[in-house]
Amino acid sequence: MQNYISQQNFNALLDSLISQGKRVVAPRTNAGTVLYEPLANAADMVIDQLPRRSGKEAFFPLCEDIMTYQKEGQKIELQDIDPTRFLETVLVGVRPCDAAAIPVLDAVFSWDYKDEFFLERRKKTTIIGLACTQADDACFCTAVGLTPADPKGADLFLTPLEGGGYACETQSEKGEALVANNKELFAEPNGYKPLPLAEPQTGKFDLKKVKAWLDEHFEDPAWDSIATRCVGCGACAFVCPACHCFDIVDEGTEKQGKRRKNWDACGFWKFTHHASGHNPRDQQPKRYRNRIMHKFKYYDDKFGQTLCTGCGRCIRLCPVGIDIADILQDIDKIEVKVKVEENS
Ligand code: SF4
Ligand code: SF4
């Protein structure tokens, strides 16, 4: 169902949700950086910029407690954190590259083990997506099968209109409920014209050709040159909407402390460091190979989709200028070269 909502009414909607005690998470400026964070009021929202990190933090926080412990003599007391305490949340202004990563995370967090922390937050979250009208040189959503107006992952999808306001398309029961419960703020979408969409870079590589090369080249000298500059800082994984690795650590003393779940990254040397001292990914090219393999081969083999939505954040943030889209383009060219050589 399509509707129209003015910017003023959209802000009124968010303020009303905040006043009802809901957690409204939207892009806002924090110390000069735009991030998805809880709003105190709708006027703080910065809707025209892609936040530095993705919206996945609404379901998968950087760090969270999952248990506490206390020891008194021989008595040990464990206290679970109750996931049902998580607040109803509305995640607002989610770009197609971020929204499309949410079903990707759903698949992995509900696969063999059901991660109740992720799933409880996810169940309680309504996602308001937003079409993109601006792209930069790093955006490549169209090269991985998305578009700047792709509603995948959103419950309600907004398209900015000329003259202000948004066309709103409901995508799920959650989106329909949000509109139905606030119908006085919405109107018929008659005669409105969408703003022109963003034009991300496209056609740089063919995902099928990239996958075909990865299927056959776990061992290949190309990996040394592909990853030679990577310093293993993990920034690419931390800003990525689709990366989802975490570590579980106990923090505290012998007498009391907490068990925590913290983001982790396959670029870190310690990520695969065994207690024995052996490390199967003992050099950085092996770690970067895992990043590419996981995103464009392993995840695809397991779940039938790519673990990258082309948001470009890792390209913007990499301190040594590694550009994943250029790497995929190079792999695509190697695959073409291999085919030409085979056929000649
Ligand atoms: S951000 Fe760049 S240097 Fe850091 S781990 Fe990723 S690819 Fe390597
Ligand atoms: S790999 Fe890079 S471009 Fe792809 S979704 Fe992650 S941060 Fe965005």
Side-chain angles (χ1 to χ4, degrees), residues 140 236 239-243 291 295-296 307-315 324:
F140 65 98
C236 49
V239 296
C240 179
C243 279
R291 179 166 178 76
K295 289 197 171 290
F296 301 99
L307 192 58
C308 168
T309 57
C311 74
R313 284 189 179 88
C314 57
I315 299 171
I324 197 169

Side-chain angles (χ1 to χ4, degrees), residues 107-125:
V108 79
F109 281 110
S110 58
W111 164 51
D112 56 346
Y113 178 78
K114 312 279 177 239
D115 186 313
E116 56 180 335
F117 292 88
F118 178 91
L119 294 175
E120 185 67 20
R121 285 195 180 90
R122 186 68 183 89
K123 191 174 81 185
K124 289 182 166 166
T125 302

Side-chain angles (χ1 to χ4, degrees), residues 178-331:
L178 186 66
V179 173
N181 292 338
N182 299 278
K183 53 182 184 291
E184 68 286 357
L185 299 173
F186 293 86
E188 293 284 318
N190 289 335
Y192 298 103
K193 200 169 162 209
L195 285 174
L197 290 173
E199 293 183 17
Q201 53 178 309
T202 190
K204 285 193 84 170
F205 51 83
D206 177 336
L207 271 180
K208 285 205 177 105
K209 280 198 276 179
V210 169
K211 170 84 165 50
W213 188 83
L214 295 176
D215 282 342
E216 303 296 329
H217 294 87
F218 182 79
E219 299 289 356
D220 193 281
W223 290 113
D224 286 336
S225 55
I226 285 170
T228 191
R229 279 178 297 155
C230 177
V231 294
C233 68
C236 49
F238 277 36
V239 296
C240 179
C243 279
H244 50 262
C245 288
F246 60 86
D247 195 10
I248 291 181
V249 293
D250 288 344
E251 293 176 4
T253 64
E254 189 197 348
K255 293 224 176 278
Q256 61 176 8
K258 47 179 71 163
R259 179 157 292 175
R260 306 192 87 193
K261 180 175 160 193
N262 300 324
W263 286 2
D264 206 346
C266 60
F268 294 153
W269 170 77
K270 271 192 154 181
F271 188 80
T272 45
H273 190 219
H274 298 181
S276 65
H278 172 64
N279 192 341
R281 296 186 203 140
D282 55 347
Q283 292 163 352
Q284 204 57 37
K286 292 183 186 172
R287 300 192 267 279
Y288 196 78
R289 174 182 63 193
N290 183 71
R291 179 166 178 76
I292 298 290
M293 282 283 186
H294 190 192
K295 289 197 171 290
F296 301 99
K297 172 174 164 49
Y298 306 146
Y299 199 87
D300 193 341
D301 286 343
K302 181 123 203 101
F303 296 109
Q305 55 187 326
T306 299
L307 192 58
C308 168
T309 57
C311 74
R313 284 189 179 88
C314 57
I315 299 171
R316 292 180 205 104
L317 263 285
C318 178
V320 293
I322 291 179
D323 182 327
I324 197 169
D326 282 351
I327 288 170
L328 296 172
Q329 189 176 32
D330 289 348
I331 291 175

